[in-house]
Amino acid sequence: MTPPRRLTGPCLAFLTRQRPSATAPRAFHSLPSSTSTSTNACRRHLSSTRHLSRIQVNRRKDVKQANMSATTLKGQPLDKAVLDAMLRRRMFYTPSFEIYGGVGGLYDFGPPGCSLLTNITDIWRKHFILEEDMLEVDCTVLTPHEVLKTSGHVDKFADWMCKDPKNGEILRADHFVEAVLEARLKGDKEARGLKVEEKDDPKKKKKKAKSEAIKLDDALVKEYEEVLARIDNYGGPELGELIKKYDLRNPETGELPSDPVSFNLMFQTTIGPSSNSPGYLRPETAQGQFLNFAKLLEFNQGGMPFASASIGKSYRNEISPRAGLLRVREFLMAEIEHFVDPQGGKKHHRFPDVADVELVFLDRETQLAGKTETRKVAVGEAVKSGLVDNETLGYFLARIHLFLAKIGVDQSKLRFRQHMQNEMAHYAVDCWDAELLTSSGWIECVGCADRSAYDLNVHAKKTGAALVVRSRLDEPITIEEWEVDVEKKKFGPLFKKDAKTVEAALMASSQEDREKLAKELKDNGKATITVEGYGDGKAEIPSDAIRIEFRKRVEHTREFTPNVIEPSFGIGRILYALIEHNFWTRGSEGTDEARGVLSFPPPVAPTKVLIVPLSSNQSFKPHLKKLSQRLRSIGISSRVDDSSASIGKRYSRNDELGTPLGITIDFQTLQDNTFTLRDRDSTSQVRAEEDKIVEAIKSLVDSSKTWADIQKELPAFEGQEVDVAVREK
């Protein structure tokens, strides 16, 4: 995954939005020009932000969506507090170590959460690894310091944080700027008489004072909106200037925070008992795939292109993780590294299969103009016009779209946002984030980047490993170039433990450098080469330890370092967005009570079938046992609810768990072995004998049929034919 992103970016995550790559130096982005009334307006409006008990750690929001109420699957206003309470009550997830007070950014998944997570990753594995014939690896979480130093994470995997000088509160700088400006815009809307929806945060119950309605100058409103639209494009110095320019004070203390400083997000540890081998918990799963490239290429019999994939936990020491599952310190990632020959335009042989898939794009030019309008374009046209850089990148964007649709993501709440130039690493060619709209705004859940050959190159340069592809040429070619020969018997004793590092730097030298070194050896009997991490950075090599000559040779093979297209998925973020997208409420019959429903598609639902006996009659038990065992034998999860609650209540509480189907065992079952099958969303029912019911369930779970298809095939259930009262007697 792209090293540090102000987390997509997934990273994603991840997650998991994951941050822009911190390996890329951030060029200063000019701030919006101020108006003559900006400073006074900012000071007047300071009081309107006092109601914030703490700065909200919200994701970057689309300016036009920021104050719009989130909606349920059925278009109802989404009450996030009600949803969160339901998820915790049903134990989808819960704060870790809660009886000890909990630790921010760490969560445990309960039974339905585990099943949902497993089903998402299972569909992901089939959709990508199986269908694309990828090579799956599972690499260690512990990573030596040297690996992450080489990749750039040690130096640059960071977020910008600032500190309140009065109470010592640590604030993430971009979130701080974002939250205060959004509060001011909210107060402006109230002053103009526009309706502003309040978002009820269950973690923020202490203070509920309303913001003071103060009208801002139109020019200042425009400035604020432009800053928010480009919030991901600012580095630490720019964020510091924004804080000073707009007099952004911590609402809790009224103080200006300190200048932003860089905070590395990796968890540091030591490997072994001596503490001489520093290491980290990996912040992404990608590095293990890069380091195993040569072995994977050999396993693939040298075939190109090919892709590796990995599903596993990653760790990031987030500054202030207060956004539930959207910003956590331990998260599940699924990452793909697709290795492709850079020659030939990075074509993909299956691109025609997805060329007509239409995606919603938010390009970088639109964002840099301070706007957020999207456009819907077929992937084929996006690549042809240059909006998306190449076919392979476009192919994976389409495949990401199809995967999210398959698991039940609301397509009206999905867009692909292009990274702005300052967000991307200097080595990246193009990068897009799949963002999902939630109650916290647009959240990056998947990042898809063309990383060029950066990772393989830096690791090869550091270690001297041959992370390259050799392919046979149709026609041999003649090459004339400077070549280096190392005299191992002299070279090794000369540099001892640093010999490998010096040799790697020598082999990574350019043709121009080698020509200069050859001249030095001839004139002085020795040559000096720059070696990072060795002594004072310079290594002096005598002529008896190396030989550099200009030679002509005929090549029958071509050697190249492949480029990498990397889709990176923050599974936890996708899971939470999926929950919001599939949540809705319906009234309970005869009451005003609204009951929650999670309309997960059957393949992704935690439990597929609820089995409900009409009563506690002992004669139902053999049918219960037989039916549940039969469903399990064909890989379909079921749950029996034989509690004393009414059948309606039993179905209702399993609707909250997202169970799509329900089987009722009644007294008619005892006579003719027929069962009713209930659909969660419509609550309609059909009735048939056991074999047909099981076959219908199987077809619904594997998505080969819909409930409408089942209704056409099986008779509707109108009522029991057996007198219940008589049977009970």
Side-chain angles (χ1 to χ4, degrees), residues 37-52 67 176-192 196 211-217 220-221 223-225 228 242-251 254-257:
T37 57
S38 293
T39 302
N40 290 334
C42 290
R43 288 173 178 165
R44 288 200 316 271
H45 195 69
L46 179 61
S47 60
S48 72
T49 63
R50 301 283 183 186
H51 72 286
L52 292 171
N67 292 308
F176 173 78
V177 170
E178 186 177 41
V180 177
L181 292 186
E182 284 176 352
R184 291 182 179 179
L185 289 173
K186 177 183 172 184
D188 174 73
K189 287 181 181 292
E190 291 172 345
R192 295 171 188 261
V196 179
S211 60
E212 184 178 347
I214 296 178
K215 185 177 179 181
L216 303 175
D217 296 307
L220 186 59
V221 169
E223 282 191 38
Y224 284 176
E225 290 178 343
L228 289 173
L242 287 169
I243 290 170
K244 293 173 183 175
K245 176 179 179 179
Y246 295 122
D247 196 34
L248 305 182
R249 296 174 180 269
N250 186 351
E255 296 289 334
L256 276 175

XYZ file of all heavy atoms in Angstrom, residues 37-52 67 176-192 196 211-217 220-221 223-225 228 242-251 254-257:
499
model
N -12.050 41.618 5.127
C -12.852 41.402 6.335
C -12.610 40.041 6.965
O -13.238 39.709 7.964
C -14.348 41.513 5.983
O -14.632 40.558 4.959
C -14.701 42.893 5.497
N -11.669 39.255 6.398
C -11.501 37.875 6.862
C -11.148 37.786 8.334
O -11.762 37.032 9.082
C -10.430 37.169 6.030
O -10.873 37.018 4.708
N -10.148 38.557 8.772
C -9.661 38.427 10.146
C -10.738 38.775 11.155
O -10.981 38.049 12.118
C -8.432 39.318 10.352
O -7.432 38.935 9.411
C -7.884 39.154 11.757
N -11.427 39.907 10.938
C -12.470 40.305 11.871
C -13.611 39.300 11.890
O -14.163 38.990 12.942
C -13.012 41.691 11.508
C -11.982 42.780 11.786
O -11.121 42.594 12.643
N -12.087 43.899 11.087
N -13.952 38.811 10.701
C -15.048 37.837 10.636
C -14.686 36.573 11.390
O -15.517 35.981 12.076
C -15.367 37.509 9.176
N -13.404 36.156 11.248
C -12.949 34.958 11.959
C -13.054 35.156 13.463
O -13.502 34.273 14.194
C -11.515 34.622 11.581
S -11.347 34.024 9.900
N -12.622 36.345 13.938
C -12.647 36.600 15.376
C -14.079 36.679 15.896
O -14.385 36.192 16.980
C -11.893 37.892 15.674
C -10.384 37.729 15.510
C -9.645 39.025 15.636
N -8.212 38.801 15.526
C -7.326 39.764 15.312
N -7.727 41.007 15.190
N -6.038 39.481 15.222
N -14.968 37.348 15.101
C -16.360 37.431 15.526
C -16.969 36.048 15.649
O -17.781 35.779 16.516
C -17.183 38.241 14.501
C -16.920 39.725 14.493
C -18.080 40.462 13.832
N -18.539 39.835 12.613
C -18.052 40.102 11.410
N -17.071 40.975 11.287
N -18.546 39.495 10.345
N -16.549 35.169 14.758
C -17.196 33.858 14.707
C -16.610 32.847 15.689
O -17.129 31.755 15.838
C -17.089 33.287 13.284
C -18.023 32.148 13.060
N -19.375 32.317 13.001
C -17.790 30.822 12.904
C -19.955 31.155 12.799
N -19.020 30.225 12.742
N -15.556 33.217 16.386
C -14.906 32.273 17.291
C -15.885 31.715 18.318
O -15.870 30.528 18.643
C -13.741 32.953 18.014
C -12.978 32.081 19.028
C -12.373 30.877 18.322
C -11.910 32.907 19.713
N -16.787 32.570 18.802
C -17.712 32.116 19.837
C -18.645 31.028 19.339
O -19.145 30.225 20.126
C -18.547 33.296 20.344
O -19.287 33.860 19.273
N -18.878 30.983 18.030
C -19.798 29.979 17.504
C -19.214 28.582 17.549
O -19.927 27.609 17.352
C -20.192 30.322 16.060
O -19.106 30.104 15.193
N -17.921 28.472 17.810
C -17.310 27.138 17.880
C -17.102 26.660 19.312
O -16.592 25.579 19.528
C -15.941 27.149 17.170
O -15.076 28.043 17.857
C -16.060 27.566 15.727
N -17.489 27.473 20.313
C -17.239 27.114 21.711
C -18.024 25.873 22.138
O -17.683 25.226 23.114
C -17.630 28.266 22.635
C -16.877 29.554 22.357
C -15.478 29.497 22.894
N -14.789 30.760 22.691
C -13.524 30.954 22.959
N -12.800 29.967 23.429
N -12.968 32.116 22.739
N -19.128 25.584 21.393
C -19.968 24.465 21.812
C -19.297 23.118 21.587
O -19.749 22.112 22.125
C -21.296 24.493 21.044
C -21.149 24.105 19.604
N -20.578 24.943 18.679
C -21.458 22.948 18.963
C -20.563 24.340 17.510
N -21.090 23.131 17.641
N -18.234 23.074 20.813
C -17.572 21.790 20.549
C -16.777 21.367 21.781
O -15.795 22.005 22.135
C -16.627 21.913 19.349
C -17.290 22.126 17.991
C -16.226 22.437 16.959
C -18.061 20.885 17.581
N -23.056 19.075 5.449
C -24.161 19.352 6.360
C -25.442 18.652 5.939
O -26.513 18.953 6.451
C -24.388 20.862 6.450
C -23.228 21.564 7.137
O -22.844 21.176 8.221
N -22.661 22.563 6.501
N -8.367 19.143 12.747
C -8.652 20.349 13.534
C -9.120 21.479 12.627
O -10.154 22.112 12.875
C -7.401 20.759 14.306
C -7.520 22.083 15.009
C -8.210 22.180 16.206
C -6.952 23.227 14.469
C -8.330 23.405 16.856
C -7.066 24.448 15.107
C -7.753 24.538 16.308
N -8.356 21.738 11.559
C -8.722 22.797 10.615
C -10.091 22.513 10.017
O -10.964 23.392 9.942
C -7.657 22.917 9.504
C -8.135 23.847 8.385
C -6.332 23.413 10.081
N -10.294 21.279 9.618
C -11.540 20.865 8.985
C -12.740 21.080 9.909
O -13.765 21.652 9.511
C -11.412 19.388 8.603
C -12.566 18.825 7.811
C -12.289 17.378 7.444
O -11.764 16.630 8.286
O -12.619 16.999 6.323
N -12.617 20.650 11.152
C -13.737 20.715 12.084
C -14.134 22.152 12.420
O -15.316 22.488 12.457
C -13.402 19.949 13.358
N -13.148 23.021 12.659
C -13.457 24.404 13.032
C -14.073 25.149 11.856
O -15.058 25.885 12.018
C -12.200 25.127 13.554
C -12.527 26.583 13.854
C -11.680 24.451 14.812
N -13.529 24.960 10.655
C -14.099 25.638 9.488
C -15.513 25.151 9.207
O -16.395 25.941 8.849
C -13.211 25.418 8.263
C -11.835 26.104 8.293
C -11.128 25.910 6.953
C -11.950 27.584 8.610
N -15.755 23.850 9.375
C -17.107 23.327 9.155
C -18.085 23.882 10.178
O -19.247 24.164 9.858
C -17.085 21.803 9.198
C -16.510 21.202 7.921
C -16.389 19.692 8.000
O -16.602 19.135 9.106
O -16.083 19.082 6.976
N -17.629 24.069 11.434
C -18.494 24.654 12.459
C -18.852 26.091 12.106
O -19.993 26.530 12.296
C -17.800 24.593 13.819
N -17.897 26.820 11.564
C -18.171 28.206 11.179
C -19.152 28.262 10.007
O -20.052 29.111 9.982
C -16.862 28.906 10.815
C -15.953 29.122 12.016
C -14.676 29.858 11.639
N -13.825 30.075 12.801
C -12.651 30.677 12.762
N -12.186 31.131 11.606
N -11.939 30.823 13.863
N -18.975 27.366 9.045
C -19.906 27.325 7.917
C -21.308 26.939 8.380
O -22.312 27.421 7.850
C -19.406 26.342 6.859
C -18.171 26.784 6.070
C -17.681 25.655 5.170
C -18.481 28.023 5.235
N -21.389 26.070 9.380
C -22.680 25.679 9.923
C -23.374 26.882 10.568
O -24.575 27.120 10.368
C -22.481 24.573 10.958
C -23.760 24.144 11.647
C -23.456 23.093 12.704
C -24.689 22.792 13.527
N -24.417 21.857 14.629
N -22.613 27.666 11.348
C -23.179 28.862 11.957
C -23.642 29.867 10.918
O -24.658 30.544 11.088
N -22.905 29.954 9.807
C -23.293 30.857 8.721
C -24.620 30.419 8.108
O -25.492 31.247 7.827
C -22.194 30.869 7.659
C -22.587 31.667 6.428
O -22.626 32.907 6.505
O -22.881 31.022 5.394
N -24.786 29.106 7.905
C -26.044 28.597 7.346
C -27.213 28.900 8.280
O -28.303 29.274 7.837
C -25.935 27.093 7.099
C -25.064 26.712 5.912
C -25.028 25.205 5.732
C -24.143 24.810 4.553
N -24.719 25.225 3.269
N -26.985 28.730 9.588
C -28.043 29.026 10.555
C -28.422 30.504 10.499
O -29.608 30.857 10.564
C -27.569 28.655 11.956
C -27.423 27.152 12.172
C -26.777 26.811 13.505
O -26.194 27.723 14.123
O -26.845 25.639 13.916
N -27.416 31.376 10.363
C -27.680 32.814 10.302
C -28.451 33.192 9.047
O -29.209 34.166 9.041
C -26.363 33.589 10.363
N -28.275 32.434 7.991
C -28.976 32.706 6.726
C -30.352 32.038 6.678
O -31.031 32.076 5.656
C -28.132 32.225 5.547
C -26.820 32.985 5.376
C -25.927 32.335 4.329
N -24.604 32.932 4.293
C -24.212 33.854 3.399
N -25.059 34.274 2.482
N -22.991 34.347 3.425
N -30.030 23.190 9.098
C -28.790 22.447 9.324
C -29.108 21.230 10.179
O -29.661 21.344 11.265
C -27.730 23.318 10.044
C -26.468 22.511 10.291
C -27.416 24.552 9.211
N -24.536 26.009 18.146
C -23.579 27.006 17.667
C -24.266 28.355 17.533
O -25.468 28.439 17.282
C -22.999 26.574 16.322
O -24.025 26.445 15.372
N -23.501 29.414 17.693
C -24.034 30.761 17.553
C -24.141 31.094 16.078
O -23.177 30.946 15.321
C -23.109 31.757 18.261
C -23.650 33.178 18.251
C -22.729 34.126 18.995
O -21.839 33.628 19.706
O -22.904 35.344 18.851
N -25.316 31.522 15.660
C -25.556 31.810 14.247
C -24.957 33.163 13.890
O -25.467 34.212 14.299
C -27.050 31.792 13.953
N -23.868 33.145 13.148
C -23.207 34.379 12.713
C -22.984 34.304 11.216
O -22.385 33.347 10.713
C -21.862 34.585 13.428
C -22.092 34.781 14.932
C -21.105 35.765 12.830
C -20.821 34.954 15.731
N -23.458 35.302 10.508
C -23.329 35.328 9.054
C -21.915 35.752 8.660
O -21.373 36.722 9.186
C -24.355 36.284 8.452
C -24.360 36.281 6.930
C -25.440 37.202 6.387
C -25.423 37.207 4.861
N -26.461 38.111 4.306
N -21.328 35.007 7.735
C -19.999 35.318 7.223
C -20.105 36.032 5.889
O -21.114 35.919 5.184
C -19.187 34.038 7.043
C -18.984 33.148 8.268
C -18.258 31.869 7.859
C -18.201 33.879 9.341
N -19.051 36.741 5.522
C -19.005 37.351 4.196
C -18.991 36.256 3.139
O -18.374 35.194 3.324
C -17.749 38.217 4.051
C -17.767 39.395 5.013
O -18.753 40.139 5.019
O -16.791 39.534 5.779
N -15.598 34.999 2.247
C -14.975 34.148 3.254
C -15.564 32.735 3.222
O -14.837 31.745 3.371
C -15.155 34.758 4.644
C -14.423 34.051 5.795
C -12.922 34.018 5.539
C -14.732 34.738 7.123
N -16.870 32.656 2.989
C -17.515 31.344 2.851
C -16.878 30.572 1.706
O -16.570 29.382 1.825
C -19.033 31.498 2.624
C -19.652 30.159 2.208
C -19.710 32.026 3.879
N -13.878 30.973 0.511
C -12.522 30.575 0.912
C -12.551 29.308 1.761
O -11.788 28.363 1.535
C -11.853 31.698 1.714
C -11.315 32.834 0.880
C -10.450 33.767 1.719
O -9.724 33.251 2.589
O -10.504 34.984 1.492
N -13.437 29.296 2.752
C -13.543 28.130 3.632
C -13.871 26.874 2.820
O -13.295 25.796 3.048
C -14.628 28.345 4.679
C -14.252 29.278 5.818
C -15.185 29.619 6.798
C -12.970 29.823 5.917
C -14.859 30.470 7.845
C -12.636 30.678 6.960
C -13.584 31.000 7.921
O -13.247 31.841 8.956
N -14.827 26.994 1.901
C -15.239 25.836 1.098
C -14.092 25.346 0.220
O -13.901 24.141 0.033
C -16.453 26.195 0.251
C -17.721 26.385 1.076
C -18.919 26.778 0.238
O -18.704 27.215 -0.930
O -20.053 26.666 0.722
N -11.635 23.417 2.435
C -12.156 22.092 2.782
C -12.087 21.139 1.598
O -11.797 19.949 1.763
C -13.598 22.210 3.281
C -13.757 22.865 4.658
C -15.225 23.096 4.971
C -13.125 22.007 5.740
N -2.795 28.041 7.760
C -4.251 28.142 7.804
C -4.737 28.444 9.218
O -5.646 29.261 9.416
C -4.882 26.836 7.310
C -4.816 26.559 5.803
C -5.241 25.126 5.520
C -5.705 27.535 5.047
N -4.152 27.775 10.204
C -4.553 27.981 11.597
C -4.329 29.439 12.005
O -5.180 30.069 12.646
C -3.775 27.025 12.524
C -4.255 25.580 12.303
C -3.934 27.425 13.984
C -3.401 24.529 12.997
N -3.196 29.989 11.609
C -2.892 31.379 11.967
C -3.721 32.360 11.143
O -4.247 33.344 11.667
C -1.406 31.644 11.753
C -0.512 30.872 12.726
C 0.964 31.039 12.368
C 1.844 30.202 13.304
N 3.276 30.252 12.904
N -3.845 32.100 9.855
C -4.558 33.025 8.972
C -6.007 33.196 9.396
O -6.535 34.315 9.429
C -4.495 32.512 7.540
C -5.303 33.357 6.560
C -5.196 32.826 5.144
C -6.024 33.681 4.201
N -5.940 33.223 2.802
N -6.669 32.079 9.727
C -8.090 32.133 10.069
C -8.338 32.140 11.576
O -9.472 31.995 12.015
C -8.823 30.955 9.416
C -8.819 31.021 7.907
C -8.283 29.982 7.155
C -9.326 32.129 7.231
C -8.261 30.036 5.759
C -9.317 32.198 5.853
C -8.780 31.151 5.123
O -8.765 31.212 3.747
N -7.256 32.283 12.356
C -7.369 32.362 13.812
C -8.184 31.181 14.351
O -9.172 31.349 15.078
C -8.032 33.684 14.221
C -7.814 33.996 15.701
O -6.740 33.654 16.222
O -8.730 34.564 16.333
N -7.738 29.981 14.007
C -8.452 28.768 14.397
C -8.012 28.355 15.795
O -6.898 27.890 15.995
C -8.169 27.643 13.387
C -8.469 27.966 11.921
C -8.190 26.751 11.046
C -9.912 28.432 11.752
N -8.906 28.515 16.752
C -8.595 28.227 18.148
C -9.328 26.977 18.617
O -10.421 26.669 18.147
C -8.972 29.422 19.031
C -8.148 30.660 18.699
C -8.615 31.887 19.469
N -7.795 33.035 19.103
C -6.685 33.402 19.738
N -6.266 32.702 20.779
N -5.992 34.447 19.341
N -8.723 26.284 19.567
C -9.360 25.110 20.144
C -10.606 25.564 20.898
O -10.512 26.350 21.843
C -8.389 24.410 21.103
C -8.944 23.090 21.622
O -10.103 22.753 21.413
N -8.100 22.342 22.303
N -11.802 25.124 20.498
C -13.034 25.579 21.141
C -13.074 25.298 22.643
O -13.771 25.981 23.378
C -14.119 24.779 20.410
C -13.522 24.451 19.096
C -12.065 24.224 19.371
N -9.960 28.038 23.782
C -9.805 29.342 23.160
C -8.387 29.659 22.754
O -8.062 30.805 22.412
N -7.501 28.655 22.774
C -6.088 28.865 22.463
C -5.761 28.422 21.039
O -6.354 27.472 20.514
C -5.211 28.069 23.436
C -5.326 28.493 24.886
C -4.676 29.844 25.152
O -3.744 30.206 24.398
O -5.093 30.524 26.104
N -4.793 29.126 20.435
C -4.239 28.674 19.157
C -3.319 27.486 19.421
O -2.454 27.566 20.293
C -3.431 29.782 18.489
C -4.174 30.823 17.649
C -3.190 31.894 17.187
C -4.854 30.196 16.456
N -3.473 26.396 18.699
C -2.565 25.263 18.908
C -1.170 25.570 18.384
O -0.969 26.517 17.624
C -3.219 24.130 18.118
C -4.069 24.804 17.102
C -4.515 26.103 17.704
